[in-house]
Amino acid sequence: MAPIHVDESAGSDETGKGTPEQPYQTLAFALYSHPEEKFVIRKDAAGTYEEPTQSALKKAKKGADGIEKKRKKAEELAEREAKEKAEARERKEKRLEESKKIVLQEDPSLPAAIKSKIGNLTPLRSKRIRTSGWVHRLRDQKEIIFVVLRDGTGYLQCVLSGQVAQTYEALTLTLESTIEVVGTLKTVPEGQTAPGGHELVVDYWKVLGASPGGEDAFTNRLNEKSDPSIQADLRHLVLRGETASAVLKLRAALLNAFRQSLISHDLLEVTPPCLVQTQVEGGATLFKLDYYGQPAFLTQSSQLYLETCLPSLGDVFCVQESFRAENSHTRRHLSEYTHLEAELAFITFDDLMDHIEAVICETVDKLLQDPASAALIKQLNPTFTAPERPFLRLSYVDAIKWLNEHDIKHEAEDAQGNVIKDEQGNPVMVEHKVGDDIAEAAERRMTDILGRPVFLYGFPAELKAFYMKKMPKSGADGGPTFTESCDLLMPGVGEIVGGSMRIADEHELLAAYKREGIDPAPYYWFTDQRKYGTCEHGGYGLGVERFLAWLAKRYTVRECSLYPRYVTLLAAER
């Protein structure tokens, strides 16, 4: 029979078979695996196989005995662990069977429990209370079960001990189950922490809706490491997380604060329609639909309708959904977004920017002054500070100069708008010039470098909508015509507000229709605003999701919408 081969350099005790092609690495392992065989050994591939010396065999015998001892020890350990697991399983099964005999009954001799939401519990400390919610966290510690309950208004630590922790329901409780708990609310001892500074010592509880365990357990479907595509499909479950829910709570507080600020400036809230027959920002981004046989669109902006309110209602605002059919995949674009828009009469361009700045700063101040919203901001964006006033105001022309001075270039494009590439296939980068539409990337870099809110104003007319008022004297010498328009840029996000003064003259508006190739007939009601008593007026639109992304330091606006609609995802609930 062929001898067993050992190559101390190239062999392997894990994959070797003792053949010349697959030798072992150590003589000890070869002897352990083949105690009755003969052996040949070599130091490395340059040497020749020879029989081992007696001293080498003696040393290998000790090594083989050691391997055998380790094997036996590992075998004994495995047997012991298997036995312990079996005993533990048996004890658990026995405990579960015993637990089925325990039936909790609410003690009628105890004080009647006061029913309350978790967020309203602080005044009820030392009293017996009743509340319900979802199991947010669960920890079994010997004979005590700690449950953190969530009901949307807050979190409550519940302590189950004694018989209430020994029922079948307690031993099989799972995350995201809904339960009702009754007990005494106590302040946590000094040195310990719990949500709200108190905990519930439970004397009675019951399961209202059990959540599955095992393979279908909540944490197996969704966890922090889940792929973004899975998180998008399971958005309804993502919302149960502390961060997602905090963002949406801050959103609600933000809208409330904006309304308070706008009302304090004598603006009235109105509700314009979402189904329209006219465009505001250009036909290419319209969602078209059939409206009882007539073409209609989802609104891009409520601005035109808001303008019609000025003569009867005064300055107005709305919080309305707007829709843009832009095939954009950036982190700051949505196909449907919440649009806070306002229109103001008898103002100047400077008045408009002053108003936008005031409303934003007053809104932020309100949020920081309210303990609940301030806590949410601190949770989501710990380093946030209110923006300093006044905001920087930078003209479009000066911004072009600034970008070139800081060597911030943009991709060159041909006449059809296609990116020009060099021989290696890389985009050709060129300096900005007056007339260019400043790209999002360049705009954001500029804002991040400046590190403060910036009003970028005075854009060329060809880059803006037909209804925007022209700057006095611009274009008179044959140069570019600029508009009384502005974008408010915030560090980390970019544009969050777009605004302008509107054309107040009827004939100038009719000329703008003609220049843009727009049929004025469907806009008769908009034109009438200039015909029957015109005035200098202006307005703006603020993207709520973008503003929230800035405030809460979110990477994408998709985190700032309940169910975001964007190019690659229509519905998370599909």
Side-chain angles (χ1 to χ4, degrees):
M1 185 177 288
I4 302 301
H5 289 69
V6 177
D7 187 324
E8 294 181 338
S9 176
S12 170
D13 290 342
E14 285 75 27
T15 60
K17 296 182 179 179
T19 63
E21 296 80 15
Q22 293 179 284
Y24 292 117
Q25 186 178 33
T26 64
L27 185 57
F29 189 81
L31 186 60
Y32 165 75
S33 303
H34 307 276
E36 304 298 328
E37 304 295 334
K38 291 184 177 181
F39 308 94
V40 289
I41 187 170
R42 68 180 181 184
K43 293 288 184 183
D44 51 47
T48 57
Y49 282 107
E50 297 178 356
E51 290 187 7
T53 63
Q54 286 300 314
S55 62
L57 283 170
K58 186 176 181 181
K59 184 178 179 181
K61 180 66 170 62
K62 289 182 179 180
D65 291 343
I67 294 173
E68 176 63 15
K69 287 179 182 178
K70 287 182 180 179
R71 184 195 66 78
K72 286 184 177 180
K73 189 174 181 180
E75 192 176 81
E76 290 171 0
L77 180 62
E79 289 177 359
R80 186 163 65 250
E81 288 178 347
K83 183 179 178 182
E84 289 173 353
K85 285 181 180 179
E87 290 174 349
R89 187 164 55 249
E90 187 177 336
R91 285 195 303 270
K92 183 178 180 181
E93 290 173 356
K94 184 178 179 181
R95 188 183 179 196
L96 285 172
E97 284 302 314
E98 291 293 325
S99 70
K100 292 178 182 178
K101 301 174 184 178
I102 302 174
V103 179
L104 287 183
Q105 296 288 340
E106 189 170 356
D107 189 344
S109 67
L110 294 174
I114 302 169
K115 188 174 182 180
S116 174
K117 291 285 188 180
I118 292 174
N120 302 327
L121 287 176
T122 299
L124 300 177
R125 288 177 180 173
S126 78
K127 299 186 183 298
R128 191 164 180 264
I129 66 99
R130 181 189 307 272
T131 193
S132 303
W134 286 260
V135 177
H136 187 66
R137 293 197 191 92
L138 180 62
R139 178 164 54 96
D140 192 343
Q141 187 173 305
K142 294 184 179 179
E143 301 300 317
I144 302 176
I145 297 174
F146 292 92
V147 174
V148 174
L149 205 61
R150 179 191 75 242
D151 74 346
T153 69
Y155 299 89
L156 174 65
Q157 179 168 284
C158 306
V159 183
L160 284 66
S161 62
Q163 195 175 58
V164 294
Q166 296 168 7
T167 65
Y168 182 79
E169 288 77 13
L171 299 181
T172 58
L173 187 61
T174 53
L175 289 174
E176 295 304 323
S177 294
T178 47
I179 63 175
E180 179 186 72
V181 289
V182 183
T184 304
L185 188 67
K186 295 185 176 182
T187 303
V188 293
E190 189 174 344
Q192 296 183 22
T193 59
H198 46 234
E199 63 185 9
L200 187 69
V201 179
V202 178
D203 59 61
Y204 172 77
W205 72 284
K206 63 182 178 181
V207 174
L208 303 176
S211 179
E215 290 184 5
D216 204 27
F218 185 87
T219 50
N220 286 338
R221 291 194 69 191
L222 181 71
N223 55 61
E224 293 179 353
K225 297 181 180 178
S226 295
D227 186 86
S229 63
I230 293 176
Q231 293 188 39
D233 285 339
L234 299 180
R235 177 68 176 169
H236 60 292
L237 300 181
V238 170
L239 295 177
R240 301 186 182 201
E242 292 178 24
T243 298
S245 60
V247 170
L248 293 177
K249 288 175 183 177
L250 182 56
R251 176 189 170 106
L254 171 68
L255 289 173
N256 183 50
F258 262 123
R259 283 187 166 99
Q260 290 179 32
S261 298
L262 289 162
I263 290 169
S264 73
H265 283 265
D266 300 316
L267 274 77
L268 181 74
E269 183 170 7
V270 294
T271 309
C274 284
L275 288 170
V276 300
Q277 285 190 304
T278 52
Q279 68 182 52
V280 181
E281 300 296 336
T285 63
L286 284 167
F287 280 109
K288 190 175 182 179
L289 54 92
D290 180 272
Y291 186 71
Y292 303 110
Q294 295 291 322
F297 312 99
L298 294 176
T299 186
Q300 301 166 310
S301 166
S302 298
Q303 176 214 316
L304 306 191
Y305 292 102
L306 293 182
E307 288 191 47
T308 69
C309 298
L310 295 177
S312 58
L313 302 176
D315 299 343
V316 290
F317 76 96
C318 71
V319 181
Q320 184 68 281
E321 299 305 292
S322 285
F323 305 84
R324 299 286 172 91
E326 293 180 274
N327 189 15
S328 177
H329 298 256
T330 75
R331 59 190 175 97
R332 63 177 221 168
H333 277 88
L334 291 170
S335 297
E336 175 186 356
Y337 66 97
T338 304
H339 210 174
L340 189 155
E341 297 181 87
E343 284 294 318
L344 301 94
F346 306 107
I347 61 169
T348 65
F349 188 34
D350 282 335
D351 290 339
L352 177 64
M353 289 189 282
D354 289 343
H355 167 86
I356 295 170
E357 181 176 319
V359 167
I360 284 175
C361 291
E362 290 167 19
T363 298
V364 170
D365 288 344
K366 285 180 172 61
L367 291 169
L368 292 175
Q369 289 163 9
D370 179 80
S373 54
L376 291 169
I377 295 172
K378 183 72 174 176
Q379 174 188 341
L380 297 166
N381 188 1
T383 60
F384 179 82
T385 56
E388 293 184 8
R389 301 178 67 178
F391 292 173
L392 177 65
R393 298 187 182 186
L394 186 68
S395 74
Y396 166 85
V397 173
D398 288 339
I400 294 291
K401 294 177 183 176
W402 191 97
L403 290 169
N404 291 335
E405 287 170 358
H406 290 77
D407 198 31
I408 298 175
K409 300 180 179 181
H410 70 100
E411 296 176 344
E413 295 181 350
D414 60 22
Q416 286 72 44
N418 301 310
V419 176
I420 300 172
K421 297 184 178 181
D422 59 22
E423 294 178 355
Q424 286 73 42
N426 300 314
V428 174
M429 305 301 291
V430 296
E431 287 193 339
H432 289 81
K433 65 180 184 301
V434 173
D436 287 343
D437 190 359
I438 300 175
E440 174 191 336
E443 192 177 75
R444 200 163 61 238
R445 279 190 65 192
M446 179 179 69
T447 311
D448 290 347
I449 291 171
L450 292 170
R452 57 184 294 195
V454 180
F455 271 118
L456 193 59
Y457 70 90
F459 293 91
E462 60 267 23
L463 299 180
K464 289 298 181 179
F466 72 91
Y467 54 77
M468 292 189 179
K469 181 182 177 182
K470 309 302 181 291
M471 278 189 164
K473 300 180 181 179
S474 72
D477 56 355
T481 299
F482 298 102
T483 56
E484 290 191 341
S485 58
C486 64
D487 287 347
L488 178 59
L489 314 177
M490 287 294 191
V493 178
E495 179 193 346
I496 62 167
V497 180
S500 77
M501 296 298 290
R502 320 306 191 190
I503 293 174
D505 181 78
E506 179 186 359
H507 299 293
E508 187 179 345
L509 181 61
L510 291 171
Y513 291 143
K514 185 175 182 180
R515 184 177 62 252
E516 297 295 327
I518 297 173
D519 180 4
Y523 292 86
Y524 71 93
W525 52 274
F526 184 64
T527 309
D528 276 353
Q529 303 309 307
R530 283 78 182 163
K531 185 175 182 179
Y532 295 99
T534 189
C535 71
E536 292 297 324
H537 63 286
Y540 58 92
L542 177 146
V544 171
E545 288 82 7
R546 288 189 185 180
F547 190 92
L548 184 56
W550 166 71
L551 182 66
K553 203 175 183 179
R554 297 298 94 191
Y555 176 74
T556 170
V557 293
R558 297 175 188 178
E559 296 180 61
C560 301
S561 174
L562 181 64
Y563 284 97
R565 273 38 176 157
Y566 48 96
V567 176
T568 56
L569 182 74
L570 173 62
E573 66 268 21
R574 67 181 185 274

